[in-house]
Amino acid sequence: RSTKQKAHIDRIEQMQQVTGPKEETSISMTSVSTRMGKKTIELQHLSKRYGDKVILDDYSYIFLRNQKVGIIGPNGCGKSTLMKMLVGQVAPDSGVIEIGETIRMGYFAQDEKEMDDRQRVIDYVKDIGEYIITRDGRISASQMLERFLFTPEMQYAPIGKLSGGEKRRLYLLGVLCQNINVLLLDEASNNLDIPTMTILEDYLNSFVGIVVAVSHDRYFIEKFAERIWLLEDGKIRDFPCGYQKYRSILEHEAAAKPAVS
């Protein structure tokens, strides 16, 4: 755990040292979203456990439109399981999740999506759409790939020629290009390089929809989250604030506790 924390500190220091992208390299991506109706995602009395380990105990919540939620908690507390329940990959033991008719989810999981190594990079994106609608108008799959730092040569190469990090970047691009209005991110900062994280953070700033992200990366949570969920011992403690305010609340509570003699 200490190694992982050090990696996060190193990433923050690297970000602070970066002077910014070169002008000739576009690494920005505007939001690609679909209009959301009144009904969003409703959690009704959700419970989940594995053996004696309680993941969630009788939790209810209604997501508001355009809400940005960061989920944090100790390793093994069930954050990824909660995400998989939201996307329908894991069923709760009891309770229901109701999804509005207009909701379109994109899920960036910790486990990389299986890809056909023989398929060309550009064809992977074209399978999602020849053209993608953004706030800047309609752009081609090739233009979208360029925004994600895939050169023309890389675009026509087979996916099997990509590095592990480049495959993660392509997987993320595929998720973001699906005209979604709900984005679920499970440890997105793992195995993504700094330029790709910059693209993602820019995207989240303009995204019109719901974002729910699990992360141990404090810097990433600070950048986008307007609400913090602390998952621990089968309970979610809801903080209607950003990460810094959340930390201040915990520090105030710790200081207010009587010293143990």
Side-chain angles (χ1 to χ4, degrees), residues 18-207:
V18 170
T19 57
K22 296 179 181 179
E23 288 185 7
E24 65 268 25
T25 304
S26 173
I27 62 168
S28 64
M29 177 176 174
T30 53
S31 170
V32 184
S33 60
T34 299
R35 186 178 179 278
M36 185 183 299
K38 288 185 178 181
K39 185 167 184 178
T40 58
I41 305 170
E42 298 184 10
L43 315 182
Q44 299 179 8
H45 303 288
L46 286 191
S47 295
K48 183 69 180 178
R49 67 166 59 222
Y50 289 110
D52 294 332
K53 183 172 182 59
V54 178
I55 303 299
L56 202 59
D57 182 27
D58 192 25
Y59 186 69
S60 298
Y61 189 78
I62 299 176
F63 285 93
L64 302 179
R65 284 188 289 182
N66 305 329
Q67 213 167 39
K68 308 293 189 291
V69 180
I71 302 178
I72 60 179
N75 289 334
C77 68
K79 299 184 295 294
S80 292
T81 299
L82 174 57
M83 296 290 275
K84 289 176 181 177
M85 283 196 289
L86 290 176
V87 80
Q89 292 184 2
V90 171
D93 294 337
S94 60
V96 296
I97 300 175
E98 292 190 359
I99 308 293
E101 290 183 0
T102 61
I103 294 298
R104 293 192 60 180
M105 289 190 186
Y107 177 43
F108 184 76
Q110 286 198 57
D111 301 324
E112 188 174 299
K113 181 182 178 181
E114 193 169 320
M115 298 177 176
D116 182 356
D117 282 345
R118 298 168 298 177
Q119 186 180 32
R120 294 187 307 177
V121 170
I122 194 166
D123 292 331
Y124 177 85
V125 179
K126 283 184 175 180
D127 282 350
I128 300 169
E130 285 276 351
Y131 291 92
I132 297 150
I133 306 300
T134 75
R135 283 185 168 182
D136 298 331
R138 192 174 75 158
I139 66 174
S140 67
S142 178
Q143 289 172 315
M144 187 64 79
L145 280 162
E146 286 182 11
R147 294 189 180 197
F148 255 60
L149 309 182
F150 288 98
T151 64
E153 293 77 14
M154 295 170 70
Q155 293 179 27
Y156 287 90
I159 291 175
K161 293 289 187 180
L162 300 180
S163 68
E166 289 164 347
K167 285 183 178 180
R168 289 291 287 176
R169 190 192 310 161
L170 182 61
Y171 170 36
L172 176 62
L173 174 58
V175 172
L176 301 184
C177 286
Q178 295 173 23
N179 292 319
I180 58 177
N181 51 28
V182 175
L183 177 59
L184 306 177
L185 301 166
D186 193 355
E187 293 292 0
S189 57
N190 287 1
N191 304 318
L192 289 179
D193 56 23
I194 291 174
T196 308
M197 285 303 299
T198 302
I199 297 169
L200 177 58
E201 289 160 3
D202 287 344
Y203 174 89
L204 294 179
N205 285 336
S206 67
F207 182 68

